[in-house]
Amino acid sequence: MVTASGTPLSIGRVSLRVNDLASVADFYQRVVGLHLHEADGEQITLGNGHAPLLTLIRDASARRASSREAGLFHTAFLLPKREDLGGWLRHATDLGLKLDGAADHLVSEAVYLHDPEGNGIEVYRDRPSEQWPWQAGGVAMRNEPLDFDGILAEGERSVWAGVTGDALVGHVHLQVGALEPAERFYRETLGLDVTCRFPGAVFYSSGGYHHHLATNIWNSRGAGVRSGPVTGLAEVEILRNAQRQGVPLAAEDGAQFTDPWGTVLSVRNA
């Protein structure tokens, strides 16, 4: 079975620059269910209890990012089982949380929201990879209605106490100014495979996962390089799993790459 982390390259932690560190950190703990790992006066790292998944960096003077700029579309937190997603949905309902959207993507079931500073979030679970509908040219992903009732029913079997140690950042979806230069960068520089082309978006993967990264121009067509300091995405960590066959990225541990719109991607050996 193909999983998000059992591939040559996968996503490690995401770093966000924020104005109000306390408020945003509280949201990711109280609402998303991440656990505190480290904190000082300038940054807070949250995770699944074992590994860090998100670092929040305080910058009170940074201008607030526009939704039309290149940068983060969403950070996608992958829960291990459908009942975990059901438990989270029950938790969100108890909080009276307003979701931005939800969909059955055929490969996964997902819900969408945003943090207090507008950073997009996806909370999702994968279907078993044997059920993913591969076809000529890649994997089929669509936006079908989500089975809320079925997911909530499965959530009755668990008591929500935050994300488990198996939760991780399954993928990161980015806003870019144009798809062609984005594809050149993510295919040629990072060595990722294109798994799906969707109107206004391209999805990329390592090792047969449905996608570890995606780029879209739905809000950001024509956007230029981000000028800082600005809130939002500071860095995406790429984990290189040396024990996996076919690691496509030839770079030293700690190497950094910057895409055409200023998004920084750092490489770390898993």
Side-chain angles (χ1 to χ4, degrees):
M1 183 173 73
V2 178
T3 63
S5 60
T7 50
L9 299 178
S10 59
I11 304 296
R13 84 174 80 181
V14 171
S15 297
L16 302 179
R17 186 173 290 105
V18 301
N19 291 148
D20 188 336
L21 182 62
S23 173
V24 178
D26 172 73
F27 182 90
Y28 281 97
Q29 292 173 89
R30 181 175 50 86
V31 176
V32 179
L34 301 185
H35 306 284
L36 179 64
H37 279 233
E38 296 179 340
D40 60 30
E42 297 305 317
Q43 65 181 44
I44 293 175
T45 297
L46 308 170
N48 60 17
H50 302 296
L53 303 180
L54 182 72
T55 293
L56 304 173
I57 305 164
R58 183 202 304 273
D59 190 342
S61 65
R63 66 175 177 82
R64 187 65 61 87
S66 163
S67 63
R68 303 194 68 80
E69 289 184 79
L72 184 68
F73 187 64
H74 61 240
T75 302
F77 296 98
L78 173 59
L79 304 184
K81 295 179 291 187
R82 197 177 197 231
E83 68 183 68
D84 297 317
L85 181 58
W88 184 85
L89 273 175
R90 287 189 170 277
H91 167 68
T93 300
D94 291 342
L95 292 176
L97 187 68
K98 180 178 174 58
L99 299 176
D100 294 339
D104 183 333
H105 294 308
L106 305 184
V107 297
S108 63
E109 294 177 303
V111 294
Y112 299 92
L113 61 156
H114 60 274
D115 74 17
E117 297 194 1
N119 295 296
I121 298 167
E122 176 180 342
V123 180
Y124 77 113
R125 76 99 185 181
D126 276 335
R127 286 194 167 88
S129 60
E130 294 81 4
Q131 298 177 16
W132 299 349
W134 290 91
Q135 56 190 17
V139 65
M141 290 189 282
R142 294 202 297 268
N143 294 319
E144 301 290 346
L146 188 68
D147 176 17
F148 276 102
D149 291 342
I151 295 170
L152 287 167
E154 294 209 23
E156 291 179 349
R157 293 184 281 179
S158 63
V159 176
W160 179 254
V163 302
T164 67
D166 294 330
L168 47 85
V169 178
H171 66 268
V172 177
H173 200 138
L174 302 171
Q175 297 193 157
V176 298
L179 294 180
E180 289 186 7
E183 183 171 333
R184 284 196 299 273
F185 175 83
Y186 287 100
R187 289 184 66 183
E188 297 174 12
T189 302
L190 293 189
L192 298 175
D193 300 315
V194 172
T195 55
C196 182
R197 298 183 189 278
F198 201 77
V202 180
F203 296 78
Y204 306 90
S205 167
S206 168
Y209 188 57
H210 53 75
H211 70 295
H212 289 104
L213 288 166
T215 56
N216 77 63
I217 54 171
W218 298 327
N219 301 314
S220 56
R221 183 188 298 270
V225 178
R226 280 178 295 152
S227 59
V230 58
T231 62
L233 187 61
E235 183 178 276
V236 177
E237 182 182 62
I238 305 293
L239 298 180
R240 180 170 50 194
N241 303 299
Q243 74 276 21
R244 305 289 177 184
Q245 295 295 318
V247 175
L249 184 59
E252 294 182 359
D253 188 25
Q256 288 191 337
F257 299 87
T258 303
D259 84 356
W261 296 273
T263 293
V264 176
L265 303 105
S266 64
V267 178
R268 184 174 71 81
N269 292 331

